[in-house]
Amino acid sequence: MIAQPLGEALRADADNADAVHALPSRPAGDRPLAWIMIAIVGIAFGAARVVWPITLTDRPTAPITALAHVPAGILAQPVLNDHAFGGYLIYRGIPPLIDGRADMYGDAFLGLYRRATHPDRAALDELVDRYHIGWSILAPSNPAVALLDVLPGWLRIYADGVAVVHVRDHATP
């Protein structure tokens, strides 16, 4: 509704500036109709945001419900996470073990992480011991989930279609 009149107003200003070379040019800020239209659009978007707030829902990169089921005492401990969840964990103030910025971790770490999550029991044990992992949040399709399900010392506390959460027995406060 607003785009066409706004475009016509801006085009008219541009056409007038090209057609009248003898007249002094108008400063860019001297376009009241265009600025009024821009303000109206901004207010409309702001009002729409208030009326229809954005509700975050679970998705492959944001395990919102799963994270809500992790006790606060556990959240403070180092986590073995699916790399796709790294950004959301950072957003929530939880330091991830890994995130999408693979180039900053180095080949040795990435190799250990890959072996541990595809799953090599010895690599998983090494990763958990080296980084003092107290819990995990992995995608259900991650092969390490099945290994954590049967490993002594690990307990599955939550699972849904986006994430599976395990805690180490000694990690429970």
Side-chain angles (χ1 to χ4, degrees), residues 57-70 85 88 136-142 145 149 156-166:
T57 59
D58 286 325
R59 56 189 183 278
T61 57
I64 298 166
T65 305
L67 205 54
H69 283 83
V70 179
F85 298 157
Y88 183 70
S136 70
I137 186 164
L138 300 167
S141 61
N142 189 311
V145 169
D149 280 339
R156 181 190 281 222
I157 64 167
Y158 182 80
D160 62 23
V162 175
V164 178
V165 177
H166 289 88

mmCIF file of all heavy atoms in Angstrom, residues 57-70 85 88 136-142 145 149 156-166:
data_model
loop_
_atom_site.group_PDB
_atom_site.id
_atom_site.type_symbol
_atom_site.label_atom_id
_atom_site.label_comp_id
_atom_site.label_asym_id
_atom_site.label_seq_id
_atom_site.Cartn_x
_atom_site.Cartn_y
_atom_site.Cartn_z
ATOM 1 N N THR A 57 10.731 -20.972 18.451
ATOM 2 C CA THR A 57 10.331 -22.369 18.566
ATOM 3 C C THR A 57 11.536 -23.256 18.284
ATOM 4 O O THR A 57 12.522 -22.819 17.700
ATOM 5 C CB THR A 57 9.207 -22.710 17.570
ATOM 6 O OG1 THR A 57 9.674 -22.436 16.246
ATOM 7 C CG2 THR A 57 7.950 -21.902 17.843
ATOM 8 N N ASP A 58 11.433 -24.499 18.727
ATOM 9 C CA ASP A 58 12.506 -25.450 18.471
ATOM 10 C C ASP A 58 12.754 -25.563 16.978
ATOM 11 O O ASP A 58 11.825 -25.538 16.173
ATOM 12 C CB ASP A 58 12.117 -26.837 18.995
ATOM 13 C CG ASP A 58 12.165 -26.929 20.504
ATOM 14 O OD1 ASP A 58 13.040 -26.288 21.115
ATOM 15 O OD2 ASP A 58 11.329 -27.645 21.077
ATOM 16 N N ARG A 59 14.021 -25.687 16.642
ATOM 17 C CA ARG A 59 14.415 -25.925 15.250
ATOM 18 C C ARG A 59 15.789 -26.595 15.275
ATOM 19 O O ARG A 59 16.418 -26.670 16.327
ATOM 20 C CB ARG A 59 14.400 -24.639 14.440
ATOM 21 C CG ARG A 59 15.240 -23.514 14.970
ATOM 22 C CD ARG A 59 14.956 -22.221 14.190
ATOM 23 N NE ARG A 59 15.796 -21.142 14.627
ATOM 24 C CZ ARG A 59 15.546 -20.388 15.695
ATOM 25 N NH1 ARG A 59 14.481 -20.606 16.422
ATOM 26 N NH2 ARG A 59 16.368 -19.419 16.043
ATOM 27 N N PRO A 60 16.274 -27.079 14.163
ATOM 28 C CA PRO A 60 17.528 -27.843 14.152
ATOM 29 C C PRO A 60 18.743 -27.098 14.698
ATOM 30 O O PRO A 60 19.739 -27.718 15.025
ATOM 31 C CB PRO A 60 17.725 -28.191 12.676
ATOM 32 C CG PRO A 60 16.340 -28.210 12.115
ATOM 33 C CD PRO A 60 15.600 -27.131 12.857
ATOM 34 N N THR A 61 18.674 -25.787 14.798
ATOM 35 C CA THR A 61 19.794 -25.029 15.354
ATOM 36 C C THR A 61 19.478 -24.425 16.722
ATOM 37 O O THR A 61 20.325 -23.743 17.295
ATOM 38 C CB THR A 61 20.198 -23.889 14.404
ATOM 39 O OG1 THR A 61 19.067 -23.052 14.177
ATOM 40 C CG2 THR A 61 20.730 -24.444 13.091
ATOM 41 N N ALA A 62 18.272 -24.652 17.229
ATOM 42 C CA ALA A 62 17.872 -24.061 18.508
ATOM 43 C C ALA A 62 17.056 -25.058 19.331
ATOM 44 O O ALA A 62 15.838 -25.141 19.184
ATOM 45 C CB ALA A 62 17.065 -22.782 18.274
ATOM 46 N N PRO A 63 17.710 -25.802 20.215
ATOM 47 C CA PRO A 63 17.009 -26.775 21.057
ATOM 48 C C PRO A 63 16.395 -26.113 22.291
ATOM 49 O O PRO A 63 16.790 -26.378 23.433
ATOM 50 C CB PRO A 63 18.133 -27.745 21.431
ATOM 51 C CG PRO A 63 19.346 -26.871 21.495
ATOM 52 C CD PRO A 63 19.157 -25.861 20.397
ATOM 53 N N ILE A 64 15.434 -25.259 22.074
ATOM 54 C CA ILE A 64 14.867 -24.425 23.137
ATOM 55 C C ILE A 64 14.238 -25.267 24.239
ATOM 56 O O ILE A 64 14.532 -25.086 25.426
ATOM 57 C CB ILE A 64 13.843 -23.438 22.539
ATOM 58 C CG1 ILE A 64 14.550 -22.508 21.549
ATOM 59 C CG2 ILE A 64 13.130 -22.644 23.634
ATOM 60 C CD1 ILE A 64 13.627 -21.729 20.655
ATOM 61 N N THR A 65 13.359 -26.191 23.883
ATOM 62 C CA THR A 65 12.666 -27.010 24.884
ATOM 63 C C THR A 65 13.640 -27.917 25.619
ATOM 64 O O THR A 65 13.573 -28.058 26.844
ATOM 65 C CB THR A 65 11.556 -27.836 24.214
ATOM 66 O OG1 THR A 65 10.688 -26.948 23.494
ATOM 67 C CG2 THR A 65 10.748 -28.599 25.241
ATOM 68 N N ALA A 66 14.553 -28.528 24.898
ATOM 69 C CA ALA A 66 15.526 -29.424 25.541
ATOM 70 C C ALA A 66 16.371 -28.662 26.549
ATOM 71 O O ALA A 66 16.587 -29.128 27.672
ATOM 72 C CB ALA A 66 16.418 -30.079 24.486
ATOM 73 N N LEU A 67 16.825 -27.481 26.181
ATOM 74 C CA LEU A 67 17.659 -26.692 27.089
ATOM 75 C C LEU A 67 16.873 -26.263 28.328
ATOM 76 O O LEU A 67 17.427 -26.180 29.420
ATOM 77 C CB LEU A 67 18.215 -25.479 26.352
ATOM 78 C CG LEU A 67 19.501 -24.892 26.887
ATOM 79 C CD1 LEU A 67 20.598 -25.935 26.996
ATOM 80 C CD2 LEU A 67 19.962 -23.742 26.027
ATOM 81 N N ALA A 68 15.575 -26.053 28.165
ATOM 82 C CA ALA A 68 14.734 -25.674 29.306
ATOM 83 C C ALA A 68 14.610 -26.812 30.312
ATOM 84 O O ALA A 68 14.286 -26.569 31.474
ATOM 85 C CB ALA A 68 13.348 -25.258 28.812
ATOM 86 N N HIS A 69 14.881 -28.043 29.900
ATOM 87 C CA HIS A 69 14.785 -29.195 30.793
ATOM 88 C C HIS A 69 16.099 -29.520 31.507
ATOM 89 O O HIS A 69 16.157 -30.457 32.292
ATOM 90 C CB HIS A 69 14.301 -30.427 30.016
ATOM 91 C CG HIS A 69 12.837 -30.396 29.745
ATOM 92 N ND1 HIS A 69 12.304 -29.711 28.674
ATOM 93 C CD2 HIS A 69 11.793 -30.930 30.413
ATOM 94 C CE1 HIS A 69 10.986 -29.845 28.695
ATOM 95 N NE2 HIS A 69 10.652 -30.573 29.735
ATOM 96 N N VAL A 70 17.139 -28.763 31.235
ATOM 97 C CA VAL A 70 18.427 -29.003 31.880
ATOM 98 C C VAL A 70 18.472 -28.204 33.181
ATOM 99 O O VAL A 70 18.288 -26.989 33.168
ATOM 100 C CB VAL A 70 19.598 -28.594 30.953
ATOM 101 C CG1 VAL A 70 20.935 -28.824 31.639
ATOM 102 C CG2 VAL A 70 19.526 -29.348 29.634
ATOM 103 N N PHE A 85 24.115 -26.645 17.399
ATOM 104 C CA PHE A 85 23.524 -25.967 18.555
ATOM 105 C C PHE A 85 24.444 -24.897 19.134
ATOM 106 O O PHE A 85 24.051 -24.168 20.048
ATOM 107 C CB PHE A 85 23.196 -26.970 19.667
ATOM 108 C CG PHE A 85 22.197 -28.029 19.297
ATOM 109 C CD1 PHE A 85 22.164 -29.225 19.988
ATOM 110 C CD2 PHE A 85 21.281 -27.842 18.274
ATOM 111 C CE1 PHE A 85 21.248 -30.213 19.667
ATOM 112 C CE2 PHE A 85 20.361 -28.824 17.940
ATOM 113 C CZ PHE A 85 20.346 -30.012 18.646
ATOM 114 N N TYR A 88 23.168 -21.179 19.311
ATOM 115 C CA TYR A 88 22.081 -20.984 20.273
ATOM 116 C C TYR A 88 22.609 -21.049 21.702
ATOM 117 O O TYR A 88 22.182 -20.267 22.556
ATOM 118 C CB TYR A 88 20.969 -22.006 20.069
ATOM 119 C CG TYR A 88 19.802 -21.760 21.005
ATOM 120 C CD1 TYR A 88 18.984 -20.648 20.836
ATOM 121 C CD2 TYR A 88 19.557 -22.609 22.075
ATOM 122 C CE1 TYR A 88 17.940 -20.399 21.708
ATOM 123 C CE2 TYR A 88 18.511 -22.365 22.949
ATOM 124 C CZ TYR A 88 17.706 -21.261 22.761
ATOM 125 O OH TYR A 88 16.675 -21.005 23.633
ATOM 126 N N SER A 136 25.550 -33.454 27.887
ATOM 127 C CA SER A 136 25.576 -33.360 26.425
ATOM 128 C C SER A 136 24.204 -32.938 25.922
ATOM 129 O O SER A 136 23.176 -33.208 26.549
ATOM 130 C CB SER A 136 25.963 -34.699 25.796
ATOM 131 O OG SER A 136 24.922 -35.645 25.954
ATOM 132 N N ILE A 137 24.224 -32.265 24.793
ATOM 133 C CA ILE A 137 22.996 -31.934 24.071
ATOM 134 C C ILE A 137 23.310 -32.142 22.592
ATOM 135 O O ILE A 137 24.089 -31.413 21.995
ATOM 136 C CB ILE A 137 22.467 -30.514 24.392
ATOM 137 C CG1 ILE A 137 21.123 -30.277 23.721
ATOM 138 C CG2 ILE A 137 23.485 -29.446 24.052
ATOM 139 C CD1 ILE A 137 20.347 -29.091 24.274
ATOM 140 N N LEU A 138 22.746 -33.212 22.052
ATOM 141 C CA LEU A 138 23.047 -33.635 20.695
ATOM 142 C C LEU A 138 21.763 -33.856 19.911
ATOM 143 O O LEU A 138 20.721 -34.168 20.490
ATOM 144 C CB LEU A 138 23.854 -34.943 20.728
ATOM 145 C CG LEU A 138 25.201 -34.881 21.454
ATOM 146 C CD1 LEU A 138 25.746 -36.286 21.683
ATOM 147 C CD2 LEU A 138 26.196 -34.032 20.690
ATOM 148 N N ALA A 139 21.858 -33.720 18.610
ATOM 149 C CA ALA A 139 20.719 -34.028 17.747
ATOM 150 C C ALA A 139 20.423 -35.517 17.846
ATOM 151 O O ALA A 139 21.341 -36.321 17.996
ATOM 152 C CB ALA A 139 21.034 -33.646 16.302
ATOM 153 N N PRO A 140 19.159 -35.917 17.781
ATOM 154 C CA PRO A 140 18.813 -37.340 17.885
ATOM 155 C C PRO A 140 19.516 -38.212 16.834
ATOM 156 O O PRO A 140 19.770 -39.385 17.082
ATOM 157 C CB PRO A 140 17.300 -37.374 17.677
ATOM 158 C CG PRO A 140 16.828 -35.999 17.933
ATOM 159 C CD PRO A 140 17.978 -35.074 17.629
ATOM 160 N N SER A 141 19.858 -37.639 15.704
ATOM 161 C CA SER A 141 20.523 -38.391 14.637
ATOM 162 C C SER A 141 22.026 -38.536 14.866
ATOM 163 O O SER A 141 22.688 -39.288 14.146
ATOM 164 C CB SER A 141 20.278 -37.710 13.290
ATOM 165 O OG SER A 141 20.810 -36.391 13.319
ATOM 166 N N ASN A 142 22.577 -37.854 15.857
ATOM 167 C CA ASN A 142 24.007 -37.941 16.134
ATOM 168 C C ASN A 142 24.322 -39.341 16.665
ATOM 169 O O ASN A 142 23.722 -39.778 17.645
ATOM 170 C CB ASN A 142 24.405 -36.867 17.150
ATOM 171 C CG ASN A 142 25.902 -36.751 17.322
ATOM 172 O OD1 ASN A 142 26.593 -37.736 17.506
ATOM 173 N ND2 ASN A 142 26.384 -35.518 17.276
ATOM 174 N N VAL A 145 24.619 -40.348 20.479
ATOM 175 C CA VAL A 145 23.452 -40.486 21.352
ATOM 176 C C VAL A 145 23.263 -41.946 21.756
ATOM 177 O O VAL A 145 23.064 -42.250 22.935
ATOM 178 C CB VAL A 145 22.178 -39.924 20.680
ATOM 179 C CG1 VAL A 145 20.926 -40.299 21.455
ATOM 180 C CG2 VAL A 145 22.276 -38.408 20.540
ATOM 181 N N ASP A 149 23.594 -43.542 25.548
ATOM 182 C CA ASP A 149 22.460 -44.262 26.138
ATOM 183 C C ASP A 149 22.897 -45.524 26.879
ATOM 184 O O ASP A 149 22.255 -45.927 27.847
ATOM 185 C CB ASP A 149 21.431 -44.645 25.071
ATOM 186 C CG ASP A 149 20.516 -43.493 24.686
ATOM 187 O OD1 ASP A 149 20.387 -42.533 25.474
ATOM 188 O OD2 ASP A 149 19.926 -43.559 23.584
ATOM 189 N N ARG A 156 20.174 -40.336 30.335
ATOM 190 C CA ARG A 156 19.359 -39.511 29.435
ATOM 191 C C ARG A 156 18.284 -38.848 30.284
ATOM 192 O O ARG A 156 17.518 -39.518 30.960
ATOM 193 C CB ARG A 156 18.720 -40.370 28.364
ATOM 194 C CG ARG A 156 17.879 -39.565 27.362
ATOM 195 C CD ARG A 156 17.073 -40.443 26.450
ATOM 196 N NE ARG A 156 17.876 -41.001 25.380
ATOM 197 C CZ ARG A 156 17.462 -41.080 24.115
ATOM 198 N NH1 ARG A 156 16.257 -40.658 23.785
ATOM 199 N NH2 ARG A 156 18.228 -41.614 23.207
ATOM 200 N N ILE A 157 18.225 -37.507 30.242
ATOM 201 C CA ILE A 157 17.205 -36.804 31.032
ATOM 202 C C ILE A 157 16.123 -36.166 30.175
ATOM 203 O O ILE A 157 15.077 -35.775 30.688
ATOM 204 C CB ILE A 157 17.820 -35.750 31.978
ATOM 205 C CG1 ILE A 157 18.517 -34.627 31.201
ATOM 206 C CG2 ILE A 157 18.740 -36.409 32.985
ATOM 207 C CD1 ILE A 157 18.857 -33.418 32.048
ATOM 208 N N TYR A 158 16.372 -36.046 28.872
ATOM 209 C CA TYR A 158 15.358 -35.436 28.012
ATOM 210 C C TYR A 158 15.631 -35.826 26.565
ATOM 211 O O TYR A 158 16.782 -35.956 26.148
ATOM 212 C CB TYR A 158 15.372 -33.903 28.129
ATOM 213 C CG TYR A 158 14.305 -33.263 27.273
ATOM 214 C CD1 TYR A 158 12.986 -33.208 27.706
ATOM 215 C CD2 TYR A 158 14.602 -32.777 26.008
ATOM 216 C CE1 TYR A 158 11.997 -32.666 26.904
ATOM 217 C CE2 TYR A 158 13.609 -32.233 25.198
ATOM 218 C CZ TYR A 158 12.318 -32.182 25.657
ATOM 219 O OH TYR A 158 11.334 -31.657 24.867
ATOM 220 N N ALA A 159 14.565 -35.957 25.800
ATOM 221 C CA ALA A 159 14.694 -36.201 24.355
ATOM 222 C C ALA A 159 13.438 -35.704 23.654
ATOM 223 O O ALA A 159 12.326 -35.832 24.169
ATOM 224 C CB ALA A 159 14.895 -37.680 24.080
ATOM 225 N N ASP A 160 13.636 -35.114 22.503
ATOM 226 C CA ASP A 160 12.532 -34.749 21.614
ATOM 227 C C ASP A 160 13.051 -34.867 20.183
ATOM 228 O O ASP A 160 14.117 -35.436 19.962
ATOM 229 C CB ASP A 160 11.967 -33.355 21.944
ATOM 230 C CG ASP A 160 12.958 -32.206 21.784
ATOM 231 O OD1 ASP A 160 13.944 -32.350 21.025
ATOM 232 O OD2 ASP A 160 12.751 -31.160 22.416
ATOM 233 N N GLY A 161 12.332 -34.351 19.236
ATOM 234 C CA GLY A 161 12.731 -34.470 17.844
ATOM 235 C C GLY A 161 13.903 -33.598 17.450
ATOM 236 O O GLY A 161 14.457 -33.752 16.360
ATOM 237 N N VAL A 162 14.317 -32.673 18.322
ATOM 238 C CA VAL A 162 15.401 -31.750 18.012
ATOM 239 C C VAL A 162 16.684 -32.106 18.760
ATOM 240 O O VAL A 162 17.775 -32.006 18.209
ATOM 241 C CB VAL A 162 14.989 -30.293 18.347
ATOM 242 C CG1 VAL A 162 16.146 -29.328 18.158
ATOM 243 C CG2 VAL A 162 13.804 -29.872 17.491
ATOM 244 N N ALA A 163 16.558 -32.523 20.024
ATOM 245 C CA ALA A 163 17.753 -32.744 20.838
ATOM 246 C C ALA A 163 17.548 -33.834 21.879
ATOM 247 O O ALA A 163 16.421 -34.097 22.316
ATOM 248 C CB ALA A 163 18.149 -31.447 21.537
ATOM 249 N N VAL A 164 18.674 -34.432 22.262
ATOM 250 C CA VAL A 164 18.707 -35.414 23.344
ATOM 251 C C VAL A 164 19.722 -34.902 24.357
ATOM 252 O O VAL A 164 20.831 -34.504 23.984
ATOM 253 C CB VAL A 164 19.128 -36.810 22.829
ATOM 254 C CG1 VAL A 164 19.209 -37.806 23.976
ATOM 255 C CG2 VAL A 164 18.166 -37.295 21.758
ATOM 256 N N VAL A 165 19.328 -34.911 25.631
ATOM 257 C CA VAL A 165 20.204 -34.424 26.695
ATOM 258 C C VAL A 165 20.588 -35.590 27.597
ATOM 259 O O VAL A 165 19.724 -36.336 28.057
ATOM 260 C CB VAL A 165 19.504 -33.322 27.539
ATOM 261 C CG1 VAL A 165 20.399 -32.877 28.688
ATOM 262 C CG2 VAL A 165 19.106 -32.142 26.661
ATOM 263 N N HIS A 166 21.892 -35.726 27.833
ATOM 264 C CA HIS A 166 22.431 -36.700 28.781
ATOM 265 C C HIS A 166 23.214 -35.936 29.841
ATOM 266 O O HIS A 166 23.802 -34.887 29.543
ATOM 267 C CB HIS A 166 23.402 -37.670 28.106
ATOM 268 C CG HIS A 166 22.767 -38.649 27.187
ATOM 269 N ND1 HIS A 166 22.545 -38.381 25.866
ATOM 270 C CD2 HIS A 166 22.318 -39.905 27.404
ATOM 271 C CE1 HIS A 166 21.989 -39.430 25.286
ATOM 272 N NE2 HIS A 166 21.827 -40.371 26.197
#
